[in-house]
Structures are given as structure tokens and as C-alpha cells.
């Protein structure tokens, strides 16, 4: 019996089997914890007609609204590693590139959700939240957003 067990263990290890079933290898996708905003560039006018600014806590990122022929654009604020299941203040400001006037201003709180891009038993674990930057409603859910014309 002992000889049979000593023969089976190396065979199981070589074939990738474990006592609890087959172990799947982890992929190597990387990821960062972040809060993101997505939008339709056409919603904000002509080519680069506005500046989108997204702030989480006191960290801000900004970019132009983009080419209205593009189906969507996005902006992310990276969060510290190991942030965990937090709720953070988020602020959106959209400024007209022509006049400098604020055309959209909104704030809310982001509840971060856990994401595991390589599977549940593989690192990394990242925490994310995503909003839609809407020209009339400010920060809304991206659910149902059509990403093509």
C-alpha cells in the first residue's frame, strides 16, 4: 500500500492534480485598484470640447473629452494598494475648453468592489468602482450605456 501511495503522489503532481481536484494555473493579468469614469465624447460637444476632471479623496486626474467619433472615453484615478472594501468620496468636474466655465459638477461616494482578474485563488485582488460621466446628470451608473453608435 505504501509503495502504491508513493507511486501515485508524484504522478498526481506531474499531471497537475491535487487531492481536492485539478489545480488551474493562474493567468498573469495585472490590475490596479481604481475609480473610473466613462463617457460618450459626443455628449460633451465637438472635438476635445471639454476637460473631464475626476477626483477621489484628494487625488485628481483629468483629460480632454475626446473625439466625438470615438464610441467612448475613460479616465481613472489609481488607488493605494491594499485599500480594501472602502467607500470613498468622488468628485466630477467638466469644464468647457472654450469658455472655461464649469458645465457639470457632481459628487458622490464610491463603494469599491473586489475584482480578481486572474481568478478567485490567484493574485492580484483589486478594488474598483466605475461611473458614467453624464452631461446632464453628472455621475451615474454605467449600466445600460451603449458603447457604440
Amino acid at each position: 500500500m505504501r509503495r502504491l501511495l508513493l507511486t501515485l503522489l508524484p504522478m498526481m503532481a506531474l499531471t497537475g492534480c491535487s487531492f481536492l481536484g485539478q489545480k488551474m494555473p493562474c493567468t498573469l493579468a495585472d490590475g490596479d485598484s481604481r475609480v473610473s469614469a466613462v463617457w460618450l465624447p459626443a455628449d460633451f460637444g465637438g472635438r476635445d470640447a471639454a476637460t473631464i476632471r475626476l477626483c477621489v479623496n484628494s487625488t485628481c486626474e483629468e483629460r480632454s473629452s475626446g473625439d466625438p467619433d470615438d464610441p467612448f472615453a475613460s479616465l481613472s484615478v489609481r488607488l493605494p494598494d491594499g485599500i480594501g472594501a472602502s467607500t470613498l468620496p468622488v468628485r466630477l468636474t467638466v469644464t468647457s475648453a472654450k469658455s472655461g466655465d464649469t458645465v457639470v459638477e457632481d459628487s458622490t461616494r464610491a463603494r469599491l468592489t473586489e475584482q480578481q482578474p486572474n481568478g478567485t485563488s490567484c493574485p492580484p485582488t483589486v478594488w474598483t468602482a466605475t461611473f458614467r460621466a453624464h452631461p446632464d446628470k453628472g455621475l451615474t451608473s454605467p449600466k445600460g450605456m451603449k458603447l457604440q453608435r
Side-chain angles (χ1 to χ4, degrees):
M1 179 67 153
R2 184 174 182 192
R3 185 175 294 174
L4 176 64
L5 185 58
L6 290 175
T7 304
L8 286 177
L9 283 176
M11 286 179 18
M12 289 172 64
L14 289 173
T15 60
C17 295
S18 71
F19 289 112
L20 301 174
Q22 188 168 353
K23 181 177 166 96
M24 299 300 292
C26 294
T27 58
L28 299 177
D30 198 10
D32 293 318
S33 295
R34 61 184 63 243
V35 174
S36 301
V38 295
W39 64 90
L40 304 175
D43 284 349
F44 294 101
R47 185 176 303 276
D48 300 327
T51 299
I52 313 291
R53 181 177 176 89
L54 184 67
C55 299
V56 180
N57 284 331
S58 60
T59 303
C60 299
E61 296 289 339
E62 68 180 39
R63 65 163 284 190
S64 67
S65 55
D67 184 341
D69 292 330
D70 289 341
F72 75 98
S74 66
L75 177 65
S76 295
V77 175
R78 189 172 187 276
L79 302 172
D81 291 335
I83 191 156
S86 304
T87 302
L88 305 171
V90 178
R91 198 170 63 256
L92 170 74
T93 307
V94 180
T95 307
S96 168
K98 260 186 193 175
S99 68
D101 294 338
T102 299
V103 293
V104 178
E105 191 167 31
D106 194 18
S107 62
T108 190
R109 298 189 63 77
R111 179 176 293 154
L112 302 179
T113 58
E114 182 178 19
Q115 305 291 319
Q116 294 176 305
N118 296 314
T120 56
S121 62
C122 301
T125 297
V126 298
W127 298 87
T128 64
T130 302
F131 296 93
R132 176 181 181 183
H134 191 277
D136 299 320
K137 301 174 187 172
L139 291 166
T140 65
S141 170
K143 289 184 179 160
M145 184 175 171
K146 296 182 184 200
L147 300 180
Q148 54 187 331
R149 294 179 192 263

